[in-house]
Amino acid sequence: MATESVTPAPVRFGSSEVAPARATQDRIDIPEFAPSLLPDGNFSLDDRFLDREMSWLDFNARVLELAEDPDLFLLERVNFLSIFASNLDEFFMVRVAGLKRRIAAGLAVPSAAGLSPIEQLEQIMVEAHKLQVRHARIFAEIIRPELAYEHIYMVRWEELTDGERDWLTKMFREKVFPILTPLAVDPAHPFPYISGLSLNLAVVVRNPVSEKELFARVKVPDQLPRMISLDGPRAGSIPGRTARFIPLEDVIAQHLDLLFQGMEILEHHSFRVTRNEDLEVEEDDAENLLQALEKELLRRRFGPPVRLEVTTDINPSIRELLVRELGVEESEVYALPTPLDLRGLSVISNIDRNDLHYPKQLAHTSRHLNESETSKAANVFAAMRRRDILLHHPYDSFSTSVQAFLEQAASDPKVQAIKQTLYRTSGDSPIVDALIDAAEAGKQVLALVEIKARFDEQANIDWARKLEQSGVHVVYGIVGLKTHCKLSLVVRQEGDRLRRYSHIGTGNYHPRTARYYEDLGLLTSSDQVGEDLSKLFNQLSGYAPKSTFKRLLVAPRSVRSGLIDRIEKEITNRKAGLPARVVIKVNSMVDEAIIDALYRASQAGVQVDVIVRGICAVRPGVPGLSENIRVRSILGRFLEHSRVFAFANGGDPVVYIGSADMMHRNLDRRVEALVQLSSREDVADLVALMDRYMDPGTASWHLDNQGRWTRHHKDAEGNPLSDVQSWLLASRARQRAVTRR
C-alpha cells in the first residue's frame, strides 16, 4: 500500500488549531483490509467493532462513577444511583429481552463484534451482576452514611418512636390497606401473575389450626410514594434539620397481620421481576394503528421474565419457589441487599437542600431573541427574519424560544398553517395546548404523533385523541418507520406571499426535559429549509416518496449515505493537502458502515473525533486501523443529548445538527432529519464547542483500543479539569453581562 509523503502544516478548523493527523495508508476498503496490517495479531477484522451490549453496560458504569465521586454534590450522587437503576431496568426490558427472543427463535446470527446471542447473554449476566452489586454497595457503604452525616436517613420500623408507629399505622389503614390484595398460593389458588417492575412481598404464613405453612404474595402499590417522609413535605430543606424516610414495603410488612387475620406471619421477603416490555406491532396488518398498539400495551404486562431480584437474606426455599414458578434461570437471579429497586431514591434526591445540589440555574432567553433582556416577550418571527437563531438548551430557555414560537404562531391571525412532529412531550405540554388553540382558531394544524415512542406509547395515544377532538389533523407517519425527527413548520401570510418559518431540533418538544437535556435547535425563515420541511411533511402525511432536499439529510434514505459522502470528501481533501477533520457528537455510535468510513478516514490521516454519551462500537487508537480516532464521553449535570456532525471541508467547515444517532434503527427504521447550518457564526461557534469537548483540559472519559473507559477529571497535581457544562453556564452569564453594558 502506498503511503503519503507530504505532511501539511497545522490547519485551523473553526477557532482552534488542529495538529495534522498522522497519515498511514491510502484508502483501504475495510472488507479487504489485510489482518497482517494489525499489530502483533492483537486485532483482526472481526475485532474492529466493540460489542454494543457491553458498551451500554460500560455507560452505566460511568454513571456509577459519578455516584461514587466525593467531589460532586451529595443529592446529585443519589440521583445518579436512581438513574442507574432506571437505565438498567430498560436495558433488561429491551436489550436482554431481545437477545432471549432471538435465542428462543433460533436466530444465532452473530453480532458485529462476532458474538453469538448466547455469548452476549453470558457476558451480560456476568457484568450486570457486578454492576448491580456495586450499585447496592455504593448506596449502603458510601451514600447512606454520607446522607446520615447530613441528617438524612432511611430508617427501619424498629428505629421509630411509638408516636411515629401509631401515625404510620393510621396512614396504612386509611391509604394503603384498601388498595392491597393479598394473593394466596394453594391448590385452589395458582401462583399469581407478577407484573414487570412491581415490588412484591413474598409472605409465608401458618394456619394455627392445621399447622400448615402457606405462601402468599402482596404487591407494593406503585401508585403510592415509595419513600414515606416522617418529617413532612419540607423535610431536610434546612441544613441540620432531620429528614427521615421509611420504604413503603417496610410499613406493609409490619401490618401483614391485618391482611392475614387469624394466620401466623412466619417470614416475608421482597422481590421484583423484570419482563420483556418491548412492543411488536405489525403495522401492515393493522387497520387501525391506535387500536393495535393499545392491545399490544395490554400484552406488554404479560411478557416473559428476564430478571428476578431478591434480597440476600431470602429463604432458599422461597427463592426456589420463585425461580420455578416464574420460569427464570438461576443466572437471571440477582441477590441484593435491601431495599430493592433504588429508583425510589429519586424521592430523596429531590429534597430541597441547596447546599447538596448543583447551584440553581435559570435558563435565559437567547440573545438573538431578546437582546435588551427585557421581560417583554420577543417577536419570534421578526427575530427569525433578521437571522437564523441557533438555540442551545438548557442554556437557552425553551419556553421563550421554541414554545414562544408555537404559541405566537397559534395566536397570530396571519399564520395559516402549523405542522408539527411530536415524539415525546409532557402531560401538561404547552406545545399541545398551542396546537389545540391554533386549530380552534381555524388554522390548518397537522400533528404527526409518534405513538410508538418506547415507554411513552400510552401517553402519546392520549394526546393523539385529545388533539383529534380539538380539530387537529393527526397522523402517525409512514408504515414501518418511527418518526423521530424534531420539526415545526409555520406558514404565515405576509403581504402577497406565504412565508415559512421552521424549527429543527435534536431533542423532543418537551418543556420539562428541556431544563436538563442538552440539545440544539435551529429557528430559521430560510426558504430552502421551509421548502425542505414542506416536502418532508408531505411525505409523512401523504404520498411523496421521491422528494429531494436541499439543506436536509433525511433517514432512511440519505442520512447514512450523506454522512459517508462527507467523510469520503474529507479523505479526498486530506490527500490533496487541504484541511480535513471529522467531529461527530451523538448519543450512540454503532452503525458499522459509518464506523468503517471513519476507519477509512483515519487510515488516510484524517483526524476523527467522536463524542458519545452512551454506546460506542468504535475501537479507537489501533495502529493501521484507527490510530487517528479519539473517542470521548461527557456525563454530568445535564444529559448530553445533541447530535452534531462537523467537517473541515477543506477550510470551509460544514456542520449539521439533527435527531439521528448512528444506529441501525435511526438510519434504517426511523424518519430522521439533519439540517446543515448556514450561518458562519453558528458554524464557528459549534466547531469551537466541539473543540472544547475534546480539549485535554476538559473532564471526560477516554476510550482505549481495548474497549476500556478511563475517567480524566483531574490533572497531574490533582486539580479538577474544566467541566464543559459549568463552563457553558459561566460563558452565557458573561455574554448577558456584556449585553447589559
Side-chain angles (χ1 to χ4, degrees):
M1 297 289 179
T3 58
E4 292 186 312
S5 58
V6 178
T7 301
V11 298
R12 286 193 174 274
F13 180 27
S15 60
S16 67
E17 188 173 89
V18 180
R22 175 184 168 190
T24 52
Q25 291 82 28
D26 275 341
R27 173 174 175 167
I28 299 168
D29 290 325
I30 291 291
E32 301 173 5
F33 187 64
S36 60
L37 290 176
L38 299 176
D40 304 322
N42 290 329
F43 296 96
S44 70
L45 254 185
D46 294 336
D47 294 325
R48 72 186 189 274
F49 302 118
L50 298 173
D51 183 70
R52 64 164 290 169
E53 315 300 352
M54 298 307 294
S55 181
W56 198 99
L57 291 175
D58 287 339
F59 159 59
N60 248 352
R62 299 197 293 280
V63 175
L64 281 187
E65 284 190 67
L66 293 175
E68 289 173 312
D69 188 345
D71 294 331
L72 293 184
F73 294 94
L74 178 57
L75 292 182
E76 303 297 344
R77 295 164 65 194
V78 174
N79 188 46
F80 285 124
L81 288 180
S82 177
I83 291 170
F84 171 93
S86 181
N87 284 351
L88 205 62
D89 285 347
E90 182 173 340
F91 178 71
F92 273 92
M93 288 189 292
V94 178
R95 299 306 308 171
V96 173
L99 285 173
K100 290 193 69 177
R101 193 163 57 237
R102 288 169 60 194
I103 292 169
L107 299 175
V109 178
S111 69
L115 299 175
S116 70
I118 292 177
E119 289 172 326
Q120 285 182 294
L121 200 56
E122 288 173 347
Q123 287 192 9
I124 286 170
M125 293 307 175
V126 171
E127 189 60 29
H129 273 91
K130 291 179 183 177
L131 285 176
Q132 287 213 243
V133 170
R134 179 182 170 190
H135 180 230
R137 180 191 60 78
I138 292 170
F139 175 66
E141 300 178 10
I142 300 175
I143 298 299
R144 200 164 183 170
E146 292 190 30
L147 286 171
Y149 181 80
E150 297 290 345
H151 307 286
I152 300 170
Y153 304 92
M154 188 184 295
V155 298
R156 307 303 300 267
W157 184 264
E158 52 270 18
E159 300 174 57
L160 305 178
T161 66
D162 290 343
E164 289 167 340
R165 293 179 187 178
D166 290 343
W167 176 77
L168 284 172
T169 297
K170 183 174 184 290
M171 185 274 295
F172 174 83
R173 289 178 179 273
E174 294 177 354
K175 298 182 179 180
V176 184
F177 179 79
I179 301 175
L180 299 180
T181 304
L183 296 174
V185 177
D186 58 30
H189 301 86
F191 191 87
Y193 175 78
I194 310 296
S195 55
L197 299 188
S198 64
L199 190 61
N200 305 271
L201 292 178
V203 185
V204 179
V205 299
R206 181 162 55 204
N207 188 320
V209 177
S210 66
E211 294 292 317
K212 187 174 183 179
E213 294 184 3
L214 301 167
F215 174 85
R217 170 260 192 165
V218 178
K219 178 180 177 180
V220 178
D222 49 20
Q223 62 265 50
L224 295 175
R226 171 72 190 290
M227 297 292 173
I228 301 171
S229 171
L230 294 162
D231 302 293
R234 294 277 296 162
S237 60
I238 300 175
R241 182 174 293 179
T242 298
R244 293 167 304 151
F245 298 85
I246 185 168
L248 177 58
E249 64 268 26
D250 284 9
V251 176
I252 295 172
Q254 292 301 319
H255 296 89
L256 290 173
D257 57 323
L258 298 178
L259 290 170
F260 301 96
Q261 293 188 15
M263 304 293 280
E264 182 183 354
I265 311 298
L266 297 182
E267 57 183 307
H268 58 82
H269 308 278
S270 56
F271 71 95
R272 184 170 180 259
V273 176
T274 311
R275 295 184 176 275
N276 175 358
E277 298 210 12
D278 207 12
L279 295 177
E280 296 181 53
V281 178
E282 294 296 333
E283 295 178 55
D284 290 329
D285 300 329
E287 292 184 9
N288 189 314
L289 180 59
L290 217 59
Q291 294 176 1
L293 191 61
E294 285 180 313
K295 290 179 181 177
E296 187 63 22
L297 283 170
L298 290 175
R299 284 195 290 270
R300 168 189 272 179
R301 295 183 298 160
F302 299 93
V306 294
R307 178 179 58 167
L308 170 63
E309 295 169 278
V310 298
T311 55
T312 51
D313 61 353
I314 193 170
N315 186 318
S317 63
I318 301 300
R319 172 176 168 147
E320 183 181 338
L321 171 70
L322 293 173
V323 169
R324 182 178 67 252
E325 294 292 342
L326 290 168
V328 298
E329 302 292 334
E330 191 60 38
S331 62
E332 296 172 326
V333 181
Y334 292 75
L336 302 164
T338 56
L340 299 180
D341 189 10
L342 292 182
R343 292 180 306 167
L345 291 177
S346 61
V347 174
I348 296 176
S349 71
N350 287 331
I351 292 175
D352 189 16
R353 273 280 297 274
N354 291 339
D355 59 319
L356 301 181
H357 282 292
Y358 291 118
K360 291 186 182 297
Q361 70 93 21
L362 179 65
H364 291 265
T365 301
S366 165
R367 60 193 175 94
H368 298 303
L369 285 171
N370 194 5
E371 296 180 358
S372 64
E373 289 285 323
T374 65
S375 59
K376 183 180 178 181
N379 184 320
V380 179
F381 296 116
M384 293 170 69
R385 286 193 293 272
R386 288 193 295 269
R387 57 160 293 151
D388 283 0
I389 301 167
L390 182 65
L391 302 167
H392 196 185
H393 310 297
Y395 314 102
D396 292 323
S397 169
F398 181 87
S399 63
T400 60
S401 57
V402 180
Q403 182 179 323
F405 169 56
L406 290 168
E407 288 174 339
Q408 290 180 21
S411 61
D412 187 339
K414 293 183 179 180
V415 168
Q416 304 296 305
I418 302 174
K419 299 184 180 184
Q420 175 77 44
T421 62
L422 289 174
Y423 190 75
R424 301 187 200 275
T425 190
S426 58
D428 55 350
S429 173
I431 303 297
V432 172
D433 290 342
L435 297 178
I436 291 173
D437 290 344
E440 291 178 345
K443 300 177 183 358
Q444 292 290 317
V445 182
L446 172 74
L448 195 144
V449 180
E450 181 45 78
I451 57 174
K452 301 185 297 299
R454 183 178 286 154
F455 303 126
D456 274 346
E457 297 94 347
Q458 188 60 57
N460 286 6
I461 288 172
D462 294 342
W463 288 122
R465 290 206 163 113
K466 181 178 178 181
L467 288 165
E468 284 180 324
Q469 291 166 2
S470 302
V472 175
H473 300 296
V474 177
V475 295
Y476 307 114
I478 298 172
V479 169
L481 299 174
K482 279 188 180 181
T483 303
H484 190 248
C485 47
K486 325 298 182 183
L487 312 173
S488 291
L489 177 65
V490 172
V491 182
R492 189 171 187 267
Q493 184 74 48
E494 296 183 1
D496 58 355
R497 62 167 288 194
L498 289 175
R499 188 162 191 163
R500 288 175 282 208
Y501 296 84
S502 310
H503 173 264
I504 300 176
T506 69
N508 298 306
Y509 292 95
H510 198 308
R512 191 163 58 245
T513 60
R515 293 196 289 268
Y516 56 90
Y517 275 37
E518 179 272 339
D519 271 305
L520 294 163
L522 178 69
L523 288 169
T524 180
S525 61
S526 160
D527 290 336
Q528 283 189 340
V529 174
E531 183 180 341
D532 281 353
L533 288 197
S534 293
K535 291 179 180 178
L536 182 50
F537 272 109
N538 288 342
Q539 276 192 346
L540 296 173
S541 64
Y543 301 102
K546 294 187 177 180
S547 298
T548 58
F549 304 100
K550 296 177 180 178
R551 278 181 57 185
L552 295 188
L553 297 178
V554 178
R557 181 184 294 178
S558 63
V559 169
R560 181 188 284 114
S561 60
L563 292 177
I564 290 176
D565 286 346
R566 281 288 174 187
I567 295 168
E568 297 292 348
K569 187 173 181 180
E570 296 304 304
I571 295 172
T572 300
N573 288 336
R574 179 72 176 93
K575 292 175 181 177
L578 298 174
R581 184 187 177 200
V582 177
V583 185
I584 296 178
K585 179 180 183 291
V586 286
N587 296 299
S588 300
M589 172 64 77
V590 175
D591 187 75
E592 292 86 6
I594 294 289
I595 294 173
D596 278 345
L598 297 179
Y599 286 157
R600 289 194 295 272
S602 173
Q603 292 159 17
V606 177
Q607 179 63 54
V608 176
D609 290 326
V610 178
I611 305 153
V612 60
R613 186 186 86 236
I615 307 169
C616 184
V618 175
R619 193 186 288 276
V622 178
L625 176 70
S626 58
E627 61 207 277
N628 294 315
I629 298 179
R630 302 181 297 177
V631 178
R632 302 288 184 264
S633 183
I634 304 282
L635 302 179
R637 173 177 187 168
F638 306 125
L639 185 141
E640 293 287 332
H641 193 249
S642 64
R643 292 88 166 185
V644 180
F645 306 86
F647 307 91
N649 193 40
D652 184 17
V654 169
V655 176
Y656 289 86
I657 64 169
S659 57
D661 283 313
M662 298 296 97
M663 304 178 74
H664 298 164
R665 70 184 189 192
N666 298 86
L667 302 180
D668 297 323
R669 302 191 298 276
R670 289 184 173 183
V671 180
E672 305 275 12
L674 307 182
V675 62
Q676 182 179 343
L677 302 183
S678 62
S679 163
R680 289 186 177 274
E681 179 185 346
D682 291 342
V683 168
D685 286 347
L686 270 192
V687 169
L689 180 58
M690 295 304 102
D691 289 341
R692 171 72 64 164
Y693 276 97
M694 293 301 303
D695 193 292
T698 295
S700 62
W701 279 262
H702 297 196
L703 181 64
D704 68 15
N705 60 21
Q706 299 294 324
R708 295 181 299 243
W709 290 93
T710 303
R711 191 178 182 197
H712 292 251
H713 65 297
K714 293 186 177 180
D715 62 19
E717 287 74 39
N719 301 310
L721 298 179
S722 171
D723 176 76
V724 68
Q725 295 179 350
S726 298
W727 176 84
L728 278 165
L729 287 171
S731 67
R732 289 306 173 94
R734 288 193 296 271
Q735 284 179 358
R736 290 193 299 274
V738 169
T739 301
R740 283 193 293 269
R741 287 201 297 269

